[in-house]
Amino acid sequence: AGGLAVTVAGGIKYMHDHVGGTEGLARTMSFYSIAIPKYLEYRLHMFRESPDEVWDELDRETSKKGLDKILELRGFYIKSGQLAAANIGNAFPPIWQDTMSVLQDECPAEDFAVVRRTVETEFGKPLEEIFSSFDEKPIGAASIGQVHRATLLDGSDVVVKVMYESVEKLFRGDVRTIKMFAKVAQPVHVPPLEEIEKQFMTEFDYIKEGEQLKRVRDNLTRAGLAGDESKLCAVPKPYLDLCTKRVLVMEELKGEKLANALKTDMEKHAARAGETVQQFKAKQEEKVRELRKKGEVKLGPSATEYGKYVRLLEGERKLANAGTIAYNYTVGWLPGMEWKECVDRNSIPLINHAKLVDDLIYLHGWEVLVDGYFNGDPHPGNVLLIPRKKGEPQLGLIDYGQVKALRKEDRLLMCKIIIALADENKSEVIRLMKEAGYKSQNMNDDVIFLYAKVSYDEDNDDLTGGKHIQLFMEDLQA
């Protein structure tokens, strides 16, 4: 009897520590109910070397089921879907990225009654004694909390980030579940998952996030990169005296989410081509696929070239409208004739994608290499496009819940690795990787070099032999 009691007690403790109790067990089994069968199905098609059409259909079906499961379970699974949408690690096909893109800012939201309860519990007073107004409808919802517009008693416009109830407990259990799955099915992903777990667990203290936001804002302001609309970007000011563990209050940046702006811009490009968005994207993906088969890589236009294209579109619009106005005020006055509509400026795609990429890389590169203090979770949902009175929109950088700090020595070492890769200095790359702490079972020089290439340089079919990145990494570890 005593032995049975010890066994039962041990089982209960294991369930509590490694699965998250009965609720965690239910969530684990729900995740495994889709993960295991689909994992085996993917492996089967890898073994069969199925054609692209079969893979596309499998990706469509599985990503849709995966999204439904993510929205059902929420917690860390939403964060995992966001990683897929942002194609972190270059491991997710375009179909998965598109399906999961809704998670970048359209997650399920909590009822306002729950939000009010959290705010009032944190401050110990009625919500009306803190804010003169508080919009009940959230402007965004993510994996850990949701954001509402509000106005302070002094009239300042702010946004308020409110953490979900019990989310920290759910996250910890979910991460354990995914790590257990990875240890069996995808051991190559265990080290990155452990780093992700360590980083994500810092997001459950909004006081710390406010301090991180202030530090990044101060860094970029001091560099002349952040500030008023004359600067490259804006970073919201946190109201640290109004931040608690589960409530973060910050200045409102009045702009559009980059993810939404890019979606609208693609709709405009598709309309100009006389196609639906789905047709337009499928055609672009097919072009990329054909180029890969030929071993070619298509480089996009530079920021200058894209700027000329945008100005050309605007010039065409103005010329067409001039003709329309001339027609309306001449022939249009004749009996039986109808006036024509001018082309609205908002109907043409005006985002300079190349400059946008250049600017984001410059800002993130500054954070990483100069300040050594950067956003550990960059994705389109964390960037705003803020309209300027003239010219292209300003970038708004938000959400610094995950911040990574790098010592100067680590930054210099990373730069040396990148330069050695650019110079194709294999022996120097291997030496620097070992200095950086890289370890593997056999410490094979060729494996170390390939690992450095795919991690810091490039990921293409020539390098991976046409293999999916996961299979390539697994072969490296073998």
Side-chain angles (χ1 to χ4, degrees):
L4 178 62
V6 170
T7 301
V8 171
I12 292 173
K13 186 177 189 306
Y14 181 87
M15 274 187 58
H16 181 272
D17 293 345
H18 297 278
V19 184
T22 54
E23 181 183 9
L25 178 61
R27 292 172 64 80
T28 298
M29 298 309 296
S30 183
F31 167 74
Y32 283 157
S33 71
I34 183 172
I36 293 175
K38 285 300 177 184
Y39 171 76
L40 294 174
E41 190 173 354
Y42 269 88
R43 282 291 183 178
L44 176 63
H45 284 291
M46 287 179 183
F47 175 76
R48 290 177 175 174
E49 298 184 350
S50 299
D52 290 339
E53 299 76 29
V54 174
W55 280 105
D56 287 350
E57 185 56 38
L58 180 61
D59 284 339
R60 270 189 287 271
E61 177 196 350
T62 308
S63 63
K64 178 63 172 63
K65 287 184 176 179
L67 178 61
D68 291 342
K69 182 61 67 175
I70 286 170
L71 293 175
E72 173 194 332
L73 295 175
R74 300 173 64 170
F76 182 75
Y77 298 106
I78 285 179
K79 184 64 73 174
S80 300
Q82 290 172 336
L83 294 174
N87 196 23
I88 300 298
N90 202 22
F92 299 94
I95 291 172
W96 273 86
Q97 296 171 46
D98 292 342
T99 303
M100 298 298 165
S101 64
V102 298
L103 298 172
Q104 289 180 328
D105 199 44
E106 298 179 24
C107 303
E110 289 277 19
D111 290 339
F112 181 67
V114 178
V115 172
R116 173 184 280 275
R117 182 169 66 235
T118 299
V119 173
E120 294 184 345
T121 299
E122 289 293 292
F123 286 103
K125 62 177 72 173
L127 183 143
E128 289 77 14
E129 292 185 17
I130 312 160
F131 305 98
S132 62
S133 69
F134 196 107
D135 288 356
E136 294 190 9
K137 184 178 179 181
I139 57 174
S143 56
I144 290 174
Q146 61 194 56
V147 180
H148 294 255
R149 282 194 179 93
T151 305
L152 297 179
L153 298 179
D154 67 3
S156 300
D157 291 330
V158 296
V159 292
V160 184
K161 192 172 178 180
V162 183
M163 192 180 298
Y164 300 135
E165 293 183 335
S166 304
V167 68
E168 185 173 359
K169 176 184 174 184
L170 289 179
F171 253 65
R172 293 185 185 279
D174 295 343
V175 172
R176 282 191 291 261
T177 296
I178 295 176
K179 279 173 60 180
M180 284 192 293
F181 177 76
K183 283 177 181 178
V184 176
Q186 301 166 315
V188 70
H189 291 313
V190 173
L193 274 172
E194 289 175 341
E195 178 64 21
I196 288 170
E197 178 183 22
K198 185 169 66 176
Q199 283 298 115
F200 284 153
M201 292 313 155
T202 66
E203 289 198 54
F204 299 108
D205 184 351
Y206 283 169
I207 294 176
K208 184 175 181 181
E209 179 172 341
E211 293 168 348
Q212 293 171 171
L213 180 61
K214 181 181 184 301
R215 180 172 169 182
V216 171
R217 186 174 190 266
D218 290 346
N219 286 345
L220 294 177
T221 300
R222 189 165 47 248
L225 296 173
D228 61 29
E229 71 168 26
S230 68
K231 305 301 182 182
L232 183 58
C233 73
V235 181
K237 177 185 75 175
Y239 289 80
L240 295 179
D241 58 327
L242 292 175
C243 294
T244 71
K245 179 175 170 58
R246 296 196 295 157
V247 177
L248 172 62
V249 180
M250 68 191 114
E251 169 191 11
E252 180 185 9
L253 299 184
K254 300 182 187 295
E256 181 182 15
K257 283 290 179 77
L258 176 60
N260 297 337
L262 291 177
K263 180 180 178 182
T264 301
D265 203 61
M266 179 174 285
E267 290 170 353
K268 293 174 183 178
H269 278 290
R272 284 182 59 80
E275 299 168 347
T276 65
V277 172
Q278 289 74 20
Q279 290 170 336
F280 183 78
K281 288 170 68 174
K283 188 173 288 186
Q284 300 304 312
E285 289 166 7
E286 183 59 29
K287 287 180 182 178
V288 172
R289 189 176 291 161
E290 288 301 316
L291 286 170
R292 281 183 176 172
K293 287 179 180 178
K294 297 176 183 177
E296 299 176 13
V297 177
K298 180 177 173 58
L299 298 177
S302 66
T304 301
E305 291 167 338
Y306 210 114
K308 290 178 180 178
Y309 170 69
V310 169
R311 289 193 294 275
L312 177 63
L313 293 181
E314 178 66 350
E316 288 178 350
R317 183 190 72 86
K318 290 179 178 179
L319 185 61
N321 285 351
T324 298
I325 292 170
Y327 173 89
N328 288 343
Y329 283 93
T330 54
V331 179
W333 285 105
L334 297 176
M337 303 302 292
E338 293 185 359
W339 277 32
K340 296 180 179 179
E341 293 287 333
C342 286
V343 179
D344 192 305
R345 190 173 190 273
N346 291 326
S347 68
I348 59 175
L350 294 174
I351 296 178
N352 186 332
H353 290 239
K355 185 176 187 306
L356 185 64
V357 170
D358 288 349
D359 290 346
L360 285 170
I361 289 176
Y362 186 84
L363 286 167
H364 195 62
W366 187 280
E367 290 182 8
V368 174
L369 298 176
V370 180
D371 296 328
Y373 197 77
F374 58 95
N375 192 333
D377 186 25
H379 62 73
N382 289 344
V383 180
L384 302 177
L385 292 184
I386 305 170
R388 285 187 171 111
K389 293 175 184 176
K390 291 181 66 176
E392 296 170 337
Q394 182 185 33
L395 294 171
L397 306 182
I398 59 175
D399 195 347
Y400 280 85
Q402 268 195 73
V403 169
K404 188 76 175 176
L406 285 178
R407 299 176 307 159
K408 186 175 181 179
E409 295 82 358
D410 295 328
R411 286 177 269 152
L412 288 172
L413 190 53
M414 181 173 66
C415 290
K416 289 177 182 178
I417 292 172
I418 292 170
I419 291 170
L421 284 165
D423 292 341
E424 298 185 359
N425 189 337
K426 182 176 178 180
S427 61
E428 181 68 358
V429 169
I430 293 166
R431 185 188 72 78
L432 290 167
M433 286 291 286
K434 290 178 180 178
E435 184 181 337
Y438 175 84
K439 288 183 175 61
S440 65
Q441 186 172 353
N442 300 312
M443 292 300 286
N444 180 283
D445 284 354
D446 291 332
V447 170
I448 295 172
F449 181 70
L450 286 173
Y451 191 90
K453 287 280 286 184
V454 78
S455 299
Y456 295 103
D457 191 14
E458 59 184 340
D459 167 17
N460 55 45
D461 287 348
D462 287 339
L463 180 66
T464 64
K467 296 178 183 176
H468 184 275
I469 188 62
Q470 179 187 320
L471 286 179
F472 176 74
M473 296 300 284
E474 287 176 0
D475 287 348
L476 284 186
Q477 297 287 337

